[in-house]
Amino acid sequence: IADMTFVYGRWERDLLVERSVYRDEEVVVAGAPRLDLVPPSSPRERDATRRELGARAGERLVVHSTSWGSQIQRFYTPAALDAILDRPLPGVHVVLKLHPSERAEQGEAYRRLIEQLARSRGFAPPRVSVVWRVDLFRLLRAADAHLGLYSTVLTDAVAAGTPNLLLTPFATRDIL
């Protein structure tokens, strides 16, 4: 049995101490290495990132962080994209942020899927950009929303101050 448990933040610490069997001296808030190094954002940086992504004035930028794994790529991502493309999305620019383990071709497959889903329902697809190697926090801070599936990027979006759209197309587990 461990003598000490290190957690990311006060919320986890309070949960273990106040609602579980841990004693106060057994839990230490150590921080989250990924999040502790995130520099603060500025409106200038947000605007610059949006320009680099080709976002137009007044356009809403929705970042979808894709996930690795053939099952997620084959079933979950298409079902999630199908769920948000049930109506026209005028003024929305979808940015697909590929998982580091994916290849660029996967981005084009997602783009084709978005186009086919929209057209099959009789409306124009939203504008789509695909990015791969990009500063994730800079991207999230430039976004109006983040669409996530079973990913640590959901937490990153919270840290960046970006609202999450949580889609669970299959009720197999609690993503929170």
Side-chain angles (χ1 to χ4, degrees):
I1 299 176
D3 295 327
M4 188 71 57
T5 300
F6 294 87
V7 295
Y8 289 149
R10 184 136 183 101
W11 183 86
E12 294 90 353
R13 184 213 153 290
D14 292 348
L15 182 67
L16 293 177
V17 172
E18 295 171 10
R19 298 196 178 181
S20 187
V21 298
Y22 287 81
R23 293 188 308 268
D24 188 57
E25 64 273 9
E26 294 176 323
V27 183
V28 175
V29 175
R34 243 173 93 151
L35 303 179
D36 290 345
L37 300 175
V38 177
S41 180
S42 72
R44 177 181 279 156
E45 178 195 43
R46 183 177 197 274
D47 292 344
T49 303
R50 291 175 71 89
R51 276 192 307 277
E52 289 170 24
L53 293 168
R56 298 173 182 151
E59 196 169 48
R60 290 175 289 166
L61 205 61
V62 176
V63 171
H64 171 49
S65 58
T66 64
S67 198
W68 64 276
S70 60
Q71 186 173 6
I72 290 175
Q73 292 170 345
R74 190 170 180 193
F75 299 109
Y76 287 70
T77 298
L81 292 173
D82 179 62
I84 66 166
L85 290 165
D86 64 341
R87 67 197 70 161
L89 298 173
V92 172
H93 182 165
V94 176
V95 176
L96 299 168
K97 164 50 178 95
L98 298 182
H99 188 276
S101 69
E102 291 181 299
R103 296 188 318 238
E105 305 85 68
Q106 188 64 41
E108 291 311 309
Y110 292 137
R111 181 195 307 271
R112 283 192 307 277
L113 175 62
I114 289 170
E115 290 171 356
Q116 291 168 356
L117 284 168
R119 289 201 174 101
S120 72
R121 292 184 168 128
F123 52 83
R127 289 190 338 109
V128 177
S129 296
V130 179
V131 295
W132 186 35
R133 303 250 187 242
V134 64
D135 180 329
L136 178 63
F137 287 98
R138 188 171 183 249
L139 180 62
L140 289 170
R141 287 190 301 252
D144 295 297
H146 167 253
L147 170 64
L149 297 166
Y150 304 112
S151 171
T152 57
V153 182
L154 293 166
T155 304
D156 298 337
V158 171
T162 303
N164 274 309
L165 302 170
L166 303 174
L167 288 176
T168 54
F170 304 105
T172 58
R173 58 187 155 168
D174 179 1
I175 70 168
L176 297 178

